[in-house]
Structure formats: structure tokens, C-alpha cells
Amino acid sequence: MAANQPNSNSLNNKNPEPLILTYLAHKGYKQTEAMFRQESTRNFPIDQNNDTLTPTFLNYTNYSNYPNYPNYTNINPPEIYKQSYSALRTWIEGSLDKFKDELQRILWPIFVHSYLELVSKGFSEHATDFFETFQVDHKMHSKELNTLRVIKYQQHVQENEFAKTFRSKKYPIQMSSISYDIFFDFLQDNPPNGSNNSFLFRLVNQSLNIEVGTSHTDVGIPSFSSQELEEYNKQEVHLGHMPMDPEFREEVEKTLREQDEIHQRQFEEENQIGTNEDQTNGVTEPIPSLYQEFLNKVKRESSDVPDRMSIPLPSHKEADVLAHVETIKDLRLRIELGPSSTLPSVCFYTFFNTYDSLNCLTISEDTSLIAGGFSDSYIKIYSLKHEKLRGLRGRINPAEINTASDLDNAREKVGSDCKRLLGHSGPVFGLSFSPDNKYLISCSEDRTARLWSSDTYTNLVCYKGHNSPIWDVDFSPLGFYFVTASHDRTARLWSCDHIYPLRIFAGHISDVDAVKFHPNSKYVITGSSDKSVRMWDIQGGRCLRLFSGHTGGISCISVSEDGRLMASAGEDKSIMLWDLGSGKLLKKMLGHKSTVYSLDFSKEGSILVSGSADCTVRLWDVKKGTSDSPNEDEHYLGKIRMDIDENRSHSSLAKQKNMTETKDLITTLPTKQTPVYKIHFTRRNLCLAAGAYMPTEEELKESTGNIEQKNT
């Protein structure tokens, strides 16, 4: 028996391969035995301080090809980085769309750590090849890529702040339990190249901090805890309105004074006539001064103003002065709204026979026009003032149009109720009127944005720059600039006089679905399918705020008139109210039963109105629950979530099912069967809403039967 027992010191023998092969054969590890036999023909690295064999990651690489390999012990061959990343990348691309967004977040930290490890271990050529091959996956991290590109040697890794930060902390990734289980199953399986996944296991374990639960979005730089995110959102911002140009303000004031003098004379004449004719008539109240209304408006906007020179604008025209005067007139007639005083009137526009083709709607600032974008690649503009829209009779020579009368002579004699704008070669997904109502900007699946004249109903400019379909577009409140949001995960800033974008806002890890200018036009706010909202500085292109908390993609954004509050909503049916100054979530409003399509604040910011696919318009109290006292609804919901997580009782689950509406919901206005595509407050605080009527199954059958009968 003793003769058959292996020597207790056999692992210290110079050649332990026979013992290992015997063990593998006895256990039935045939594939591992074959691999080991092949590897045993090469020289395995031996620890010089200890004669024992040091096992390393097995593959088919001949280490003799790397004479400068510093130490084979516990070092992965350079090819494994590229093989493993490629396998992970291919697997994620083939996964279901529902989980792809969360799984794609893993690629960026694995890419960075793989590159830094290759550089730190002396494989500069392999690191460069790895970087050039896979950098295309991470265009949204352009700044970080530029930093990585200059890290070429081991000393760079030790000295570069970005590299030191990335390697010293685990990269935080939050994903749902299902996505985590899928990823874990992948790590346990064999990737397409047939090798095992122990390398990826090691890299994930060392470099990632995966938290399973409600998914949030990373911010593009490693290890952002809630405290660090709060610190990130403390970057300086100026949320006040943009100061007026001194010359422009002087002309506006002059015009307002002239208007006040005319109104004063009319008031005195009417008052004198009324006294002479009928002594019982009381003296009518004088109309408030336009100039005083203007001064009050400027006073309200005077705090925390940005630098006027930070946004270059063209010189003003007389039409701009008159347009601003009309705005002041509307402000004078504005109805002050409030949850406990006056609720807004809602005027709803219903589009029939368009439920399967109408994609988007927008309303002009003066409420004279409404435009819709259709799947058939065209745009329709309708008049809201029952006036005929008169386009041009045909092709005209611009050189022959010198005066307004020349243009009027070239118009159609009769006109029509709506105009069809043709030019796009794909479905139209976004529309926005300019503040002066002279232009309409559109975006399409054809990857272009087009500028249209709302006076002649012709296409003026085609803007190309995005690499994928464009989902949304928004005109600046100051005019001249507009911003687009695309499937290529970027938003882009444009000016009307340039055909190429001025800024590219990259940072989202999925489609940018919604975009909105801040009222002072210094910032752009984007919402994405990655469930996050970001605020960007248009001057430098930097992300200044990150808002994370939604559990679904963002479909709409609205900013209050004073620029202090922002509301976001989307697929998770909830509306979140944010403080733009601090970046903090003020409250979460629940009530809708389906995706929220549109949001808008009343002009004084006390009421928020939302439109949804659940065919309702809902009014919300903005102030309730946003004071220093904690929001009772959020506190209650938080308690329910805690009860559910700890599985304390079944009664808490029943409470959660009943908690479908928060207390800040003022009222719900249902439509007959019309999903609400657009909500818009006028300058006088009248709320306009619009959508496409969705017929019932019975109505569809009836209409189909009528068509068949007509054809027969």
C-alpha cells in the first residue's frame, strides 16, 4: 500500500506533468487533459524561488513569441483581452433590446481596464490595436478616449489622473436582477471562441461594482456614488433670463411708451364721452401700463443672469421689437393660475383618421398655427384662426421679389385650410416653431433636419450631420439656434445660418429621445432611453447636471418660465420634478396609466399639465410637497418600497396597488379616445392640447365594411 502511495513531496518534483495528467484522466476532464498535453510541449514558467509549477490562464499562444514578456507568472497573454472583449461585445449585441441598454454599460469599464492593463504590462502594440479596434463603441466618451489615447507606457498609467482614478476604484453599474442573471449566465458559459471565461470573471470582479435593483445611469466617469453625484451637480449654473441688448431694450421701451400714450388718450376720450351721455355710468378702469408691465417683467428676470455675450445673436430688426411688444400685451392680459384659485381652461384639438400615421404635433407661440409630422414623410400645417393659408402659386424667381407687395402678388388667390410640406424621405418625428412664428424646424428618420418658412410654406435649408434617425427638435426661445436629438446617442446644436452642427453633446449611452432649451437659451436639456436626463452648457458643450431616477426612457421635458424647475416623464408613467439649481429630485408625481407624451408649465409655474397615451390630460400642483417639509406621498411610497423589499407583510403590497395617484394631482380630464400628443400653454395661460383620435375596434370594423361596400 505504501509503495503505491504518491510521494508527499511529489508536487515539488521538477516535472509534475505526469501526476497532473493522471489526475485529469482519473476525473474525466478530457478536454482539459488534451489542452494540458499540448501546452506541456512548451516550457511552463517556473517560480525561481519555489520549484512548484505556477498555473496560468491556458490558451494556445506560444509565449516564445514575446521575448520581452517580463514575468509569465499570473499574467494573461495579451490576445485574451481582445478575444474576451470581442466575445462580450458580440453577445451583448445579440441580446434582447429590453436588456441591451443595461448590458452595454458593462463595455466601457471593461474596455478601459483592458487597455490600461495592456499598457501597464508593457504590451503597447497590443494596447494600441485593442484601442483602435474597439474605440468606435464609445464615441459618447470622446473626452475620456482622448485622454486614453495618450497613455502609451507604464509610467503614463502611474502618473495620469484619469488612469489612477479608474484603477483605484470600482466602476459602479446598477442593473435589474434579470439583466444581472443574464450576464452571470454568460460568464458561466463558453464564449464563441471556445475558451473559458475565467479572465472576464477576474476583470469583472476587480473592476466593477454591480448593484442589483432599480437601474440607473452612469455618468461616464468611474465610481460616482450618490454623494459624488451630488457634488457633480454643484457645478455653477446661471438660471436667470438672458439680459436684453441695450439698444433693443431702448427701442422696446420707446415703443411701449408710445403705445401707453395712445391708450391713455383713448381712455380719456371714452371716459369723457361716457360721463356726458349717461351720468350713471361709472368711470371705466384704466388699462394697466405696458411700460410698467415691461419693467416688472425685467425685474423678475434680473437675478442670476448669464453673460449676454455668451450666446452670439444676429442684430435685431423692427419686427423683433413689435413681436416683443405683443408679448408684453399678452403678459398684461395673463390670467394668474393656482390650485386653490383659478384652474386653466383647456382647449383640445382632435385629429381624425390619423391615428396610425401622425407622429408628432407642435403649436406656434402666437397659437395661429398647428403642425403635424406624419409617417408618410410629409408635414401638415393647419390654421387655428380660421384663416386661409396662402402659399406661392408656383416656382418664383427670388430676384423678382423686392417688396411685400411683390410677395403678396405671387401668392395663391384663395388659399386652403392646411398646407402640406414635402421634402423629407422618411417619417417625421419632431417639429418646433421659432419664437417669432416665421419658421418651422422638422426632423426625420432620414437623418436630416429641415427649416421651413411658415409664410411661404417652402423648404429653406436641409441640415445634415447625424448618423441615425432624429427623434426630436427644439427651437431656442431667442430664435436663431435649434437643437436635435438622435438615435446616434447625441444631441447637436445648430444655427439657422450654418448647415453643420456647432456643438455635439455626447454622454448618453442610448438614444436621445427628447430635447428642450432652457428659457435663457444658455443650456440644453436632453432625455434619453438610458433613463437619465442631462443639462448641457451650449457654450462649452459640458454636461453640468445629471438627473437619474426614472425607471424607463424619457419621452418629454419641460422647464418652468423662471428657469428654476424642470419636469421629466416617459415610459415609466411617472413625472419627476427637479430643482435645476441643486440637481435634486423634489418629488415624483403618479397618476398616469401609460407613457407620458407631453408636459408644460403654466406661465407663473404653479401648475404643470401633462398629456399621456392613456387618453387623459392631468393637472398637477407644482408647489405641493416641494417645500422644506418632506413630501408625504414620497415618504409613504418609500415606506411601502421598504416593506416590499423586506417582505414584511402582504398588506403593504395591497397598499402599493392602491397608491396609483399622488396627492398633488389636481384633476384629470379624460378625452373620448384620444392619446394626448401635445400640451402647450399660451402667453395668456390658456392651455392647448392635441392628439390623434384612436378608433375602437367596432369603429374600425365599421369603416372597413363601408370601404368594402363602396368598392363593391
Side-chain angles (χ1 to χ4, degrees):
M1 292 291 294
N4 294 332
Q5 290 180 348
N7 190 343
S8 61
N9 295 325
S10 48
L11 288 180
N12 293 327
N13 293 338
K14 294 292 183 180
N15 186 19
E17 285 92 340
L19 179 61
I20 296 175
L21 290 172
T22 302
Y23 174 79
L24 294 175
H26 177 71
K27 290 293 185 180
Y29 300 143
K30 296 182 180 180
Q31 184 177 1
T32 305
E33 178 188 1
M35 293 171 63
F36 188 84
R37 288 184 184 277
Q38 184 171 356
E39 288 295 325
S40 65
T41 60
R42 307 187 179 106
N43 292 325
F44 268 81
I46 302 296
D47 190 338
Q48 300 301 324
N49 299 322
N50 190 346
D51 291 339
T52 60
L53 175 72
T54 304
T56 59
F57 191 93
L58 299 179
N59 74 2
Y60 301 105
T61 303
N62 188 344
Y63 293 359
S64 62
N65 294 333
Y66 307 104
N68 296 325
Y69 208 121
N71 182 3
Y72 298 124
T73 306
N74 291 330
I75 294 182
N76 295 292
E79 285 85 356
I80 196 61
Y81 292 88
K82 190 172 183 179
Q83 293 173 2
S84 299
Y85 181 88
S86 179
L88 177 62
R89 177 174 178 251
T90 302
W91 174 74
I92 291 177
E93 286 299 319
S95 62
L96 294 176
D97 291 341
K98 183 177 181 180
F99 310 111
K100 187 180 297 184
D101 288 342
E102 290 186 345
L103 295 173
Q104 282 179 334
R105 302 176 191 176
I106 302 169
L107 290 176
W108 169 244
I110 295 297
F111 171 83
V112 176
H113 278 284
S114 298
Y115 177 77
L116 293 178
E117 281 196 13
L118 285 169
V119 174
S120 65
K121 294 175 181 178
F123 296 109
S124 297
E125 293 183 1
H126 289 84
T128 301
D129 177 60
F130 178 86
F131 184 90
E132 296 299 330
T133 302
F134 300 117
Q135 66 169 327
V136 67
D137 296 342
H138 310 289
K139 290 182 179 179
M140 72 292 296
H141 297 290
S142 57
K143 293 183 179 179
E144 290 85 352
L145 289 175
N146 292 333
T147 302
L148 282 175
R149 188 176 283 107
V150 300
I151 301 176
K152 296 290 186 181
Y153 304 103
Q154 297 175 355
Q155 186 178 0
H156 294 169
V157 177
Q158 299 171 1
E159 297 176 353
N160 186 274
E161 288 298 326
F162 175 79
K164 289 194 297 183
T165 302
F166 222 104
R167 302 191 79 194
S168 63
K169 299 180 180 180
K170 288 188 175 184
Y171 193 96
I173 291 182
Q174 298 187 359
M175 61 173 63
S176 64
S177 58
I178 299 178
S179 298
Y180 176 79
D181 292 340
I182 294 173
F183 179 55
F184 189 76
D185 289 341
F186 164 76
L187 292 177
Q188 290 183 314
D189 295 336
N190 291 329
N193 59 13
S195 61
N196 64 57
N197 266 341
S198 61
F199 168 76
L200 272 180
F201 256 122
R202 193 269 302 173
L203 200 58
V204 168
N205 183 59
Q206 292 181 357
S207 61
L208 301 185
N209 179 23
I210 301 179
E211 297 183 12
V212 181
T214 302
S215 173
H216 292 96
T217 304
D218 65 277
V219 295
I221 50 181
S223 214
F224 255 58
S225 63
S226 57
Q227 293 80 7
E228 290 172 319
L229 180 60
E230 183 177 347
E231 190 68 26
Y232 180 84
N233 283 342
K234 288 183 179 179
Q235 299 179 76
E236 184 181 10
V237 293
H238 300 281
L239 302 177
H241 282 250
M242 188 65 64
M244 298 176 64
D245 177 73
E247 294 182 3
F248 179 68
R249 175 172 177 172
E250 183 179 348
E251 292 189 29
V252 170
E253 290 180 348
K254 178 182 177 181
T255 305
L256 291 174
R257 288 194 187 98
E258 293 174 353
Q259 294 278 347
D260 282 338
E261 291 176 0
I262 295 173
H263 294 158
Q264 183 64 27
R265 285 197 300 268
Q266 291 176 348
F267 168 74
E268 292 176 354
E269 292 174 359
E270 292 174 359
N271 186 47
Q272 185 66 32
I273 293 172
T275 304
N276 293 336
E277 290 184 351
D278 188 354
Q279 296 296 331
T280 61
N281 288 345
V283 179
T284 58
E285 290 292 331
I287 300 176
S289 167
L290 289 173
Y291 179 67
Q292 187 60 46
E293 183 69 37
F294 172 76
L295 293 180
N296 293 337
K297 176 178 179 291
V298 173
K299 184 178 180 180
R300 291 193 298 268
E301 299 173 352
S302 60
S303 61
D304 193 23
V305 297
D307 180 12
R308 187 177 59 83
M309 303 305 295
S310 62
I311 304 178
L313 292 170
S315 57
H316 65 274
K317 302 175 183 178
E318 183 180 357
D320 299 326
V321 176
L322 297 177
H324 198 85
V325 170
E326 291 300 319
T327 300
I328 301 301
K329 290 181 179 179
D330 285 334
L331 288 178
R332 186 176 60 179
L333 300 175
R334 175 182 296 174
I335 299 174
E336 292 296 326
L337 303 178
S340 58
S341 56
T342 305
L343 295 181
S345 299
V346 181
C347 177
F348 198 92
Y349 296 93
T350 303
F351 289 73
F352 291 95
N353 305 317
T354 58
Y355 72 96
D356 57 349
S357 60
L358 182 61
N359 296 326
C360 58
L361 289 168
T362 190
I363 302 172
S364 63
E365 190 66 28
D366 64 354
T367 66
S368 62
L369 300 172
I370 184 170
F374 291 82
S375 297
D376 295 334
S377 308
Y378 61 82
I379 301 163
K380 273 190 175 183
I381 297 182
Y382 303 84
S383 173
L384 296 181
K385 294 187 175 181
H386 304 290
E387 297 176 355
K388 297 295 183 181
L389 304 180
R390 296 170 57 207
L392 301 178
R393 292 197 302 267
R395 293 185 179 275
I396 62 172
N397 185 1
E400 298 176 355
I401 306 298
N402 299 316
T403 64
S405 60
D406 293 339
L407 181 61
D408 192 62
N409 292 332
R411 294 184 185 277
E412 299 169 335
K413 297 300 181 182
V414 180
S416 56
D417 294 328
C418 70
K419 287 295 179 183
R420 180 178 294 195
L421 309 183
L422 301 176
H424 283 294
S425 58
V428 179
F429 292 122
L431 296 168
S432 179
F433 279 104
S434 62
D436 58 7
N437 310 303
K438 292 182 178 180
Y439 304 101
L440 173 71
I441 193 74
S442 62
C443 63
S444 168
E445 187 185 53
D446 63 11
R447 301 177 293 179
T448 68
R450 289 180 179 266
L451 184 70
W452 308 83
S453 169
S454 57
D455 186 30
T456 61
Y457 311 105
T458 55
N459 184 216
L460 304 178
V461 189
C462 179
Y463 302 93
K464 299 180 180 179
H466 281 288
N467 304 319
S468 300
I470 307 176
W471 303 131
D472 195 18
V473 65
D474 188 47
F475 239 116
S476 163
L478 300 180
F480 192 64
Y481 296 99
F482 64 92
V483 64
T484 54
S486 173
H487 175 66
D488 62 13
R489 299 181 286 187
T490 68
R492 305 192 183 209
L493 177 71
W494 312 73
S495 65
C496 293
D497 62 345
H498 285 75
I499 61 173
Y500 298 110
L502 306 179
R503 291 283 185 274
I504 298 177
F505 306 110
H508 286 291
I509 61 174
S510 188
D511 298 32
V512 183
D513 295 320
V515 66
K516 189 72 175 178
F517 263 101
H518 188 273
N520 65 16
S521 292
K522 182 174 171 59
Y523 307 106
V524 166
I525 302 174
T526 57
S528 170
S529 295
D530 65 14
K531 308 169 188 176
S532 74
V533 180
R534 293 173 181 253
M535 186 170 79
W536 311 82
D537 176 20
I538 70 169
Q539 191 175 22
R542 297 180 299 116
C543 180
L544 302 178
R545 293 287 185 273
L546 172 67
F547 308 94
S548 180
H550 280 283
T551 58
I554 313 299
S555 59
C556 55
I557 298 168
S558 181
V559 184
S560 62
E561 187 75 9
D562 62 4
R564 308 291 172 180
L565 302 177
M566 185 267 292
S568 59
E571 297 174 356
D572 61 3
K573 311 171 190 176
S574 66
I575 302 171
M576 292 194 172
L577 188 68
W578 310 87
D579 182 348
L580 289 178
S582 64
K584 294 181 179 179
L585 174 65
L586 298 179
K587 63 175 177 177
K588 183 176 182 179
M589 295 176 278
L590 303 177
H592 281 293
K593 304 298 188 296
S594 187
T595 302
V596 182
Y597 286 152
S598 184
L599 296 167
D600 201 14
F601 284 93
S602 61
K603 293 306 177 182
E604 75 290 324
S606 62
I607 291 178
L608 177 71
V609 180
S610 59
S612 168
D614 63 10
C615 303
T616 64
V617 174
R618 296 179 188 253
L619 280 62
W620 309 86
D621 184 352
V622 173
K623 304 299 181 183
K624 188 171 186 178
T626 58
S627 60
D628 295 335
S629 60
N631 187 346
E632 296 178 1
D633 295 331
E634 279 301 300
H635 178 74
Y636 183 55
L637 286 175
K639 184 178 184 302
I640 291 177
R641 294 191 193 101
M642 182 174 63
D643 289 345
I644 294 172
D645 293 338
E646 298 180 6
N647 196 21
R648 293 177 179 175
S649 66
H650 295 288
S651 61
S652 62
L653 292 174
K655 291 179 182 179
Q656 188 198 34
K657 292 180 180 178
N658 294 329
M659 179 60 72
T660 57
E661 296 179 354
T662 48
K663 296 179 181 179
D664 39 25
L665 177 61
I666 300 173
T667 186
T668 300
L669 306 175
T671 64
K672 182 180 180 182
Q673 191 69 24
T674 305
V676 185
Y677 291 0
K678 182 66 177 178
I679 296 290
H680 174 78
F681 268 101
T682 69
R683 291 191 291 252
R684 299 186 184 184
N685 261 341
L686 170 65
C687 182
L688 305 181
Y693 178 74
M694 184 173 58
T696 61
E697 294 183 3
E698 292 76 10
E699 291 173 329
L700 285 175
K701 291 178 181 178
E702 182 179 352
S703 61
T704 303
N706 292 336
I707 293 175
E708 292 177 351
Q709 184 177 4
K710 183 177 179 180
N711 292 336
T712 303

